Amino acid sequence: MKIAVFGLGYVGLASSVLLSQKFEVVGVDVLQDKVDMINSGISPLKDDYIEKYLKEKDLNLVATLNADYAISDADFVIVSTPTNYDVMTNYFDTSIVESVIEKVTQKNPNATIVIKSTIPIGFVNEVIKKYNNTNILFSPEFLRESKALYDSLYPSRIIVGYDINNEKLKKKAETYADLIKQVALKGNIQVRYMNYGEAEAVKLFSNEFLALRVAYFNELDTYAEKKGLNTRDIIDGMCLDDRIGNYYNNPSFGYGGYCLPKDTKQLKANYKDVPEMLISAVVDSNVRRKEFVANQIFNLAKKLQKDDNQIVIGIYRLTMKVDSDNFRQSAIQDVITLLKQKGVSIIIYEPILKSKQFEEIDVCNDLEEFKKQSDVVVANRYNKEIEDIKEKVYSRDIFKRD
């Protein structure tokens, strides 16, 4: 069994490592540095399990830039390439996904294509017609950043979308799900088979619900902060109810990262001709939260400012999560934009940045100097490194966890 995986971000790399425990896997990316690292047993991404498996396990995995080599005689081709949200079209940019589908259709039409990239509802049916290829499955992933392989080894469920009227494709859907079950460590994995549209909707509505939880507890925290109430006591009291549950409830500056911002906007766009209020409200709530946070930071800075010089606000880390090396679309970046509009000076402490500037903002990676220069230090996620200046730290990290 040969499996080709296009796109070696979190989803693609986790899938490659997972499946290469038992099957031949060829991973395809466009970055030579990433390919070289993987082939040397080094993870290009911060993920404890991926790092451990690449270093210690005997994996049948080769990374390459050569798409044709990967496609030739592959039984399954997994597509996990990016689908960024295009604000001009209100639609995911699916061009890279489509280019892989087109290439596979031309080079190896017998290969079963498994799309894992997040896509709009109705996408698979459109590309089936466009490329005249019915040999396509959609199997969304539900992975956390920096825990992608762990979540692949212990999946919450396996969802496979296919044309339920196609008996031949049904067998391929079952074969694919069985491949995952063979290499996962979790037993009794729940598997659900359904039509394409329903599978596409499962992914978008799942992320919408997670974004809703984040937005809900952020709005709770906004109210508590404005009214002088203890956020932690309120959340602790609520979450003792099993129906609510003690998860995804730690306030932040807003949901961010690669998935939730774009997926909530895409689902909102999918509702174009459908009555709704809640779906749009989640997106709007996230914007309002960042505006509130920026105002709170600015007001605190004015209160703590020691002289009449320009206010200096220090940003402690751009990353969205603890132990992450990714700050793509992190909420703090929108907060920075809002603060810049208020005319303050901003400096950033981000040790993974090697340059002296980020988006024309000075980077100071001497932590002690950073603390001295800052009138207020802003931390989306708290760290004991800044405990000694806690009186001038602004953070809504109530539980000190993601």
Side-chain angles (χ1 to χ4, degrees), residues 10 43-48 51 143-148 256-259 316-333 349-353 380-383 385 401-402:
Y10 276 108
S43 174
L45 304 172
K46 178 66 176 175
D47 184 300
D48 289 344
E51 291 171 36
L143 309 179
R144 294 169 293 172
E145 181 184 310
S146 77
K147 292 180 173 58
Y258 183 61
C259 292
Y316 176 79
R317 305 302 305 268
L318 296 171
T319 51
M320 187 180 67
K321 293 176 176 285
V322 176
D323 296 327
S324 171
D325 61 352
N326 178 34
F327 47 80
R328 183 172 46 187
Q329 296 188 43
S330 59
I332 189 63
Q333 294 185 63
Y349 174 78
E350 181 48 78
I352 68 173
L353 285 175
N380 185 48
R381 286 295 175 246
Y382 201 80
N383 189 289
E385 285 186 328
R401 57 170 167 77
D402 288 329

Coordinates of all heavy atoms in Angstrom, one line a residue, residues 10 43-48 51 143-148 256-259 316-333 349-353 380-383 385 401-402:
Y10 N 0.5 20.8 9.8 CA 0.2 19.9 10.9 C -0.7 18.7 10.5 O -0.4 17.6 10.9 CB -0.6 20.7 12.0 CG 0.3 21.5 12.9 CD1 0.4 22.8 12.9 CD2 1.0 20.8 13.9 CE1 1.2 23.5 13.8 CE2 1.9 21.5 14.8 CZ 2.0 22.8 14.7 OH 2.8 23.5 15.6
S43 N 11.5 17.2 13.1 CA 10.2 17.8 12.8 C 10.3 19.3 12.5 O 10.9 20.0 13.3 CB 9.2 17.6 13.9 OG 8.0 18.3 13.7
P44 N 9.7 19.8 11.4 CA 9.8 21.3 11.1 C 8.7 22.0 11.9 O 8.6 23.2 11.9 CB 9.5 21.3 9.6 CG 8.6 20.1 9.4 CD 9.1 19.1 10.3
L45 N 7.9 21.3 12.6 CA 6.8 21.8 13.4 C 6.9 21.5 14.9 O 7.4 20.4 15.2 CB 5.4 21.3 12.9 CG 5.1 21.5 11.4 CD1 3.8 20.8 11.1 CD2 5.0 23.0 11.1
K46 N 6.4 22.4 15.8 CA 6.5 22.1 17.2 C 5.3 21.2 17.6 O 4.1 21.5 17.6 CB 6.3 23.4 18.0 CG 6.3 23.3 19.5 CD 7.6 22.7 20.0 CE 7.6 22.7 21.5 NZ 8.8 22.1 22.1
D47 N 5.6 19.9 17.8 CA 4.6 18.9 18.2 C 5.4 17.8 18.8 O 6.2 17.0 18.2 CB 3.9 18.4 16.9 CG 2.8 17.4 17.2 OD1 3.1 16.4 17.8 OD2 1.6 17.7 16.9
D48 N 5.2 17.6 20.1 CA 6.0 16.6 20.9 C 6.0 15.2 20.3 O 7.0 14.5 20.2 CB 5.6 16.5 22.3 CG 5.9 17.8 23.1 OD1 6.8 18.6 22.6 OD2 5.4 18.0 24.2
E51 N 7.8 15.0 16.8 CA 9.2 15.1 17.1 C 9.7 13.7 17.5 O 10.7 13.2 17.1 CB 9.5 16.1 18.1 CG 9.3 17.6 17.6 CD 9.4 18.6 18.7 OE1 10.2 18.4 19.5 OE2 8.6 19.6 18.6
L143 N -7.9 18.2 14.7 CA -6.6 18.2 15.4 C -6.3 19.5 16.1 O -6.7 20.6 15.6 CB -5.5 17.9 14.4 CG -5.7 16.7 13.5 CD1 -4.5 16.6 12.6 CD2 -5.9 15.4 14.3
R144 N -5.6 19.5 17.2 CA -5.2 20.7 17.9 C -3.7 21.0 17.4 O -2.9 20.1 17.2 CB -5.2 20.4 19.4 CG -6.6 20.3 20.0 CD -6.5 19.8 21.4 NE -5.9 18.5 21.5 CZ -5.6 17.9 22.7 NH1 -5.8 18.5 23.8 NH2 -5.1 16.7 22.7
E145 N -3.5 22.3 17.3 CA -2.1 22.7 17.0 C -1.2 22.2 18.1 O -1.5 22.3 19.3 CB -2.1 24.2 16.9 CG -0.8 24.8 16.6 CD -0.8 26.4 16.6 OE1 -1.8 26.9 16.0 OE2 0.0 27.0 17.3
S146 N 0.0 21.7 17.7 CA 1.1 21.2 18.5 C 0.7 19.9 19.2 O 1.5 19.3 19.9 CB 1.5 22.2 19.6 OG 0.6 22.3 20.7
K147 N -0.5 19.4 18.9 CA -0.9 18.0 19.4 C -1.5 17.2 18.3 O -2.4 16.3 18.5 CB -1.9 18.2 20.6 CG -1.3 18.8 21.8 CD -2.3 18.9 22.9 CE -1.6 19.3 24.3 NZ -0.9 20.6 24.2
A148 N -1.1 17.5 17.1 CA -1.7 16.9 15.9 C -1.6 15.4 15.8 O -2.5 14.7 15.5 CB -1.2 17.6 14.6
G256 N -8.1 32.5 17.5 CA -7.2 32.8 16.4 C -6.7 31.6 15.8 O -7.3 30.5 16.0
G257 N -5.5 31.7 15.2 CA -4.9 30.5 14.6 C -5.4 30.3 13.2 O -6.0 31.1 12.6
Y258 N -5.0 29.1 12.6 CA -5.2 28.9 11.2 C -6.7 28.4 10.9 O -7.2 28.7 9.9 CB -4.3 27.8 10.7 CG -4.4 27.5 9.3 CD1 -4.2 28.5 8.3 CD2 -4.8 26.2 8.8 CE1 -4.3 28.2 7.0 CE2 -4.9 25.9 7.5 CZ -4.7 27.0 6.5 OH -4.8 26.7 5.2
C259 N -7.3 27.8 11.9 CA -8.6 27.2 11.5 C -9.9 28.0 11.9 O -10.7 28.3 11.0 CB -8.8 25.8 12.2 SG -7.6 24.6 11.6
Y316 N 4.2 40.3 25.1 CA 4.9 39.1 25.5 C 4.4 37.9 24.7 O 3.3 37.4 25.0 CB 4.7 38.8 27.0 CG 5.4 37.6 27.5 CD1 6.7 37.5 27.7 CD2 4.6 36.4 27.6 CE1 7.3 36.3 28.1 CE2 5.2 35.2 28.1 CZ 6.5 35.2 28.3 OH 7.1 34.0 28.7
R317 N 5.1 37.5 23.7 CA 4.8 36.4 22.8 C 3.7 36.7 21.8 O 2.6 37.3 22.2 CB 4.5 35.1 23.6 CG 5.5 34.7 24.6 CD 6.9 34.4 24.0 NE 6.9 33.5 22.9 CZ 7.2 32.2 23.0 NH1 7.3 31.7 24.2 NH2 7.2 31.4 22.0
L318 N 3.9 36.3 20.6 CA 2.9 36.4 19.5 C 2.1 35.1 19.4 O 1.1 35.0 18.8 CB 3.5 36.7 18.2 CG 4.2 38.1 18.1 CD1 5.0 38.2 16.8 CD2 3.2 39.2 18.2
T319 N 2.7 34.0 19.9 CA 2.1 32.7 19.8 C 0.7 32.6 20.5 O 0.5 33.3 21.5 CB 3.0 31.6 20.3 OG1 3.4 31.9 21.6 CG2 4.2 31.4 19.4
M320 N -0.2 31.8 19.9 CA -1.5 31.8 20.5 C -1.6 30.8 21.6 O -2.4 31.0 22.5 CB -2.5 31.3 19.3 CG -3.9 31.4 19.7 SD -4.9 30.9 18.3 CE -4.5 29.2 18.1
K321 N -0.8 29.7 21.6 CA -0.9 28.7 22.6 C 0.4 28.5 23.3 O 1.4 28.8 22.8 CB -1.4 27.3 21.9 CG -2.8 27.4 21.4 CD -3.1 26.0 20.7 CE -4.5 26.0 20.2 NZ -5.5 25.7 21.2
V322 N 0.3 27.9 24.5 CA 1.5 27.5 25.2 C 2.3 26.4 24.4 O 1.6 25.5 23.8 CB 1.1 27.0 26.6 CG1 2.4 26.5 27.4 CG2 0.4 28.1 27.4
D323 N 3.6 26.5 24.4 CA 4.4 25.5 23.8 C 4.2 25.4 22.3 O 4.3 24.3 21.7 CB 4.3 24.1 24.4 CG 4.7 24.1 25.8 OD1 5.7 24.8 26.2 OD2 4.1 23.3 26.6
S324 N 3.8 26.5 21.7 CA 3.6 26.5 20.2 C 4.6 27.4 19.6 O 5.1 28.4 20.2 CB 2.2 27.1 19.9 OG 2.0 27.3 18.5
D325 N 5.0 27.1 18.3 CA 5.9 28.0 17.6 C 5.1 28.7 16.4 O 5.8 29.2 15.5 CB 7.1 27.2 17.0 CG 6.6 26.1 16.1 OD1 5.4 25.8 16.0 OD2 7.5 25.4 15.5
N326 N 3.8 28.7 16.5 CA 3.0 29.2 15.4 C 2.2 30.4 15.9 O 1.5 30.3 16.9 CB 2.1 28.2 14.9 CG 1.1 28.7 13.8 OD1 1.5 29.5 13.0 ND2 -0.1 28.2 13.7
F327 N 2.3 31.6 15.2 CA 1.5 32.7 15.6 C 0.7 33.2 14.4 O 0.3 34.4 14.3 CB 2.3 33.8 16.2 CG 3.6 34.2 15.5 CD1 3.5 35.0 14.3 CD2 4.8 33.7 15.9 CE1 4.7 35.3 13.7 CE2 6.0 34.1 15.2 CZ 5.9 34.9 14.1
R328 N 0.5 32.3 13.4 CA -0.3 32.7 12.2 C -1.7 33.1 12.7 O -2.5 32.3 13.3 CB -0.3 31.5 11.3 CG -1.0 31.7 10.0 CD -0.8 30.5 9.1 NE -1.0 29.2 9.8 CZ -0.7 28.0 9.2 NH1 -0.2 28.0 8.0 NH2 -1.0 26.9 9.9
Q329 N -2.1 34.3 12.3 CA -3.5 34.8 12.6 C -3.8 34.8 14.1 O -5.0 34.6 14.5 CB -4.5 34.1 11.8 CG -4.4 34.3 10.3 CD -5.6 33.8 9.5 OE1 -6.7 33.9 9.9 NE2 -5.3 33.2 8.4
S330 N -2.8 34.9 15.0 CA -3.1 34.9 16.4 C -3.8 36.2 16.8 O -3.6 37.2 16.2 CB -1.8 34.8 17.2 OG -0.9 35.9 16.9
A331 N -4.7 36.1 17.8 CA -5.6 37.2 18.1 C -4.7 38.5 18.6 O -5.2 39.6 18.3 CB -6.5 36.8 19.2
I332 N -3.6 38.2 19.2 CA -2.8 39.3 19.7 C -2.4 40.3 18.5 O -2.2 41.5 18.7 CB -1.6 38.8 20.4 CG1 -0.8 40.0 21.2 CG2 -0.6 38.1 19.5 CD1 -1.6 40.7 22.2
Q333 N -2.2 39.7 17.3 CA -1.8 40.6 16.2 C -2.9 41.6 15.8 O -2.6 42.8 15.5 CB -1.5 39.7 15.0 CG -0.2 38.9 15.2 CD 0.2 38.1 14.0 OE1 0.5 38.7 13.0 NE2 0.1 36.8 14.1
Y349 N 8.3 40.9 22.5 CA 9.2 39.8 23.0 C 8.8 38.5 22.4 O 7.7 38.0 22.7 CB 9.3 39.7 24.5 CG 10.1 38.6 25.0 CD1 11.5 38.6 25.0 CD2 9.5 37.4 25.4 CE1 12.3 37.6 25.5 CE2 10.2 36.3 25.9 CZ 11.6 36.4 25.9 OH 12.4 35.4 26.3
E350 N 9.5 38.0 21.5 CA 9.1 36.7 20.8 C 10.4 36.0 20.5 O 11.0 36.2 19.4 CB 8.3 36.9 19.6 CG 7.8 35.6 18.9 CD 7.3 34.6 19.9 OE1 6.1 34.8 20.3 OE2 8.1 33.7 20.2
P351 N 10.9 35.1 21.3 CA 12.2 34.4 21.1 C 12.3 33.6 19.9 O 13.5 33.3 19.4 CB 12.4 33.6 22.4 CG 11.1 33.5 23.0 CD 10.3 34.7 22.6
I352 N 11.2 33.2 19.3 CA 11.4 32.4 18.0 C 11.6 33.3 16.8 O 11.9 32.8 15.7 CB 10.1 31.5 17.8 CG1 8.9 32.3 17.4 CG2 9.9 30.6 18.9 CD1 7.7 31.5 17.0
L353 N 11.4 34.7 17.0 CA 11.8 35.6 15.9 C 13.3 35.9 16.0 O 13.8 36.3 17.0 CB 11.0 36.9 16.1 CG 9.5 36.9 15.7 CD1 8.8 38.2 16.0 CD2 9.3 36.5 14.2
N380 N -1.2 37.1 26.2 CA -2.5 36.3 26.0 C -2.4 35.0 26.8 O -3.4 34.6 27.3 CB -2.6 35.9 24.5 CG -3.9 35.2 24.2 OD1 -4.9 35.6 24.6 ND2 -3.8 34.1 23.5
R381 N -1.2 34.5 27.0 CA -1.1 33.3 27.8 C 0.1 33.6 28.8 O 1.2 34.0 28.4 CB -0.8 32.0 27.0 CG -2.0 31.5 26.3 CD -3.1 31.1 27.3 NE -4.3 30.6 26.7 CZ -5.5 31.3 26.9 NH1 -5.5 32.4 27.6 NH2 -6.6 30.8 26.4
Y382 N -0.2 33.5 30.1 CA 0.7 33.9 31.2 C 1.9 32.9 31.3 O 1.8 31.8 30.8 CB -0.1 33.9 32.5 CG 0.6 34.8 33.6 CD1 0.4 36.1 33.6 CD2 1.4 34.2 34.6 CE1 1.0 36.9 34.6 CE2 1.9 35.0 35.6 CZ 1.7 36.3 35.6 OH 2.3 37.1 36.5
N383 N 3.0 33.4 31.9 CA 4.2 32.6 32.1 C 4.9 33.1 33.3 O 4.9 34.3 33.6 CB 5.1 32.7 30.8 CG 6.2 31.7 30.9 OD1 7.1 31.8 31.7 ND2 6.2 30.7 30.0
E385 N 7.8 33.6 33.7 CA 8.9 34.6 33.4 C 8.5 36.0 33.7 O 9.4 36.8 33.9 CB 9.2 34.5 31.8 CG 10.0 33.2 31.4 CD 10.4 33.3 30.0 OE1 9.6 33.9 29.2 OE2 11.4 32.8 29.6
R401 N -3.7 28.1 31.3 CA -3.6 26.9 30.4 C -4.3 27.4 29.1 O -5.0 28.4 29.1 CB -4.3 25.7 31.0 CG -5.8 25.9 31.4 CD -6.5 24.6 31.7 NE -7.8 24.8 32.4 CZ -8.9 25.2 31.8 NH1 -8.9 25.4 30.5 NH2 -10.0 25.3 32.4
D402 N -4.2 26.5 28.0 CA -4.8 26.8 26.8 C -6.3 26.5 26.9 O -6.8 25.8 27.8 CB -4.2 26.0 25.7 CG -2.8 26.5 25.3 OD1 -2.6 27.7 25.4 OD2 -2.0 25.6 24.9

